[in-house]
Amino acid sequence: MILRRCISISVLILFTLFCYLLLPIHLLVTLILSVMPSFRSITRAYLFTLGFLYYENLGLLKLGWVGLRYRDRAVWLAHNQRIQYWWARGLLDLGLRVFQVNIEVQGADAIAGPSVLLIPRHTSIADTVEFEQPKIF
């Protein structure tokens, strides 16, 4: 498991360096390609990828720091959960901004109160984000 993590983190760091160091070239290529109808959202997808890499790398640094600093399991779990919420919320906000998505809640009165049961169809954590307090968009 440690070997797998070392490999995946190394690949993540190398890919991040590749994307950020060649940002001007990649951005120019995506802007040129975005003129074609089938690639019109490629620049936004690339910007989202850069943001995703930012959150992944910073999240790993935060998790590493928490792992080194806190030995008490309950404290470690609390910090770990906060980092996961920060990561998931950051990706949600990034996606909403980059792709100019507007979320409209109809029947917001149904979620008023101390708790909400939300059962969406989803494929990953990026599709469902748990809020400590219900948030009405």
Side-chain angles (χ1 to χ4, degrees):
M1 183 161 91
I2 291 174
L3 177 62
R4 181 180 58 84
R5 284 189 181 163
C6 288
I7 291 171
S8 63
I9 290 171
S10 298
V11 169
L12 176 69
I13 291 169
L14 288 173
F15 185 66
T16 301
L17 289 172
F18 172 76
C19 287
Y20 276 97
L21 290 174
L22 297 177
L23 174 65
I25 296 168
H26 290 156
L27 202 53
L28 181 62
V29 169
T30 62
L31 287 170
I32 292 168
L33 287 174
S34 68
V35 176
M36 299 166 48
S38 57
F39 292 104
R40 71 174 182 242
S41 64
I42 194 168
T43 303
R44 292 178 186 202
Y46 181 67
L47 293 174
F48 182 82
T49 300
L50 292 175
F52 174 80
L53 292 171
Y54 165 80
Y55 280 104
E56 280 291 303
N57 284 283
L58 192 55
L60 285 173
L61 284 173
K62 288 180 173 193
L63 289 171
W65 172 251
V66 165
L68 292 172
R69 182 142 196 281
Y70 301 103
R71 292 293 170 207
D72 180 73
R73 182 153 174 78
V75 174
W76 177 83
L77 282 173
H79 284 284
N80 194 311
Q81 183 180 38
R82 266 187 249 133
I83 293 168
Q84 289 179 34
Y85 286 158
W86 164 83
W87 177 84
R89 184 62 203 209
L91 288 179
L92 175 65
D93 290 342
L94 177 68
L96 293 174
R97 270 193 314 271
V98 168
F99 294 107
Q100 297 176 341
V101 174
N102 294 315
I103 297 176
E104 180 182 327
V105 176
Q106 295 179 347
D109 54 322
I111 62 172
S115 61
V116 175
L117 179 60
L118 179 65
I119 307 173
R121 278 181 41 190
H122 67 284
T123 57
S124 75
I125 192 170
D127 298 330
T128 58
V129 180
E130 180 181 343
F131 303 106
E132 292 181 32
Q133 294 288 327
K135 181 171 182 178
I136 299 173
F137 294 93

